[in-house]
Amino acid sequence: MLAGAAGCNSISGLDDRPNVGPCPVAGVLYDTQRLVEVGEIERHENVGFTGEIEGVKGFCRYVGKNPITMEIEIDFALGKGPKAAGDEREYRYFVSVTRRDRLVLAKDVSSFKIKFPKGADIVRHRETVKGIVIPRATETVSGTNFEVIVGFELTPEQVAYNRSGKRFTINVQK
């Protein structure tokens, strides 16, 4: 159902008829929207690598009895703090297809590596995920019945940090 699924060659295809309904909503799961590597003392000088998903755009196509074929673009802002080990990091993220407000139908975890250029502490990156295919039980089922949700693949501690609303502070001399 996710990237690489058979039968999804392109969003536009050769059929120029309009979609029979709206595309599924594409968005970020709030609890997994950011990644912060921070030491025990939550201060700026203890931050390693960071990441934030800045936005998700979805594009879809479905006509007649065909399944929904979809691709998404995910925009990331990635950071390198004072305690970052090295200039390169692999970031892992997930893409899930859900039956809106009900259950996860499919989930895929992917990754990409970022090498921070010398002197750079922020890098922006876009991932394009193609080949998302969402079957429809009948031709009257529209994209509004589904969601495509993305987020960083996080540890339970990182999710708890995000849920707490905490932010690290900069050490300011008085």
Side-chain angles (χ1 to χ4, degrees), residues 13-52:
L14 300 175
D15 192 332
D16 63 355
R17 292 179 292 170
N19 282 348
V20 294
C23 289
V25 171
V28 183
L29 182 62
Y30 179 77
D31 291 347
T32 62
Q33 185 172 6
R34 67 186 179 119
L35 166 92
V36 179
E37 293 178 349
V38 65
E40 211 171 290
I41 299 173
E42 296 165 359
R43 302 195 63 78
H44 177 265
E45 59 269 16
N46 295 331
V47 173
F49 289 101
T50 63
E52 183 168 350

Side-chain angles (χ1 to χ4, degrees), residues 18 22 25 31 38 41 47 56 71 83 85 87 96 105 110 119 136 149 153 167:
V25 171
D31 291 347
V38 65
I41 299 173
V47 173
V56 179
E71 70 180 49
K83 291 288 185 183
D87 291 328
S96 293
L105 301 173
S110 298
R136 299 184 301 144
I149 306 296
E153 190 74 2
R167 301 287 192 252

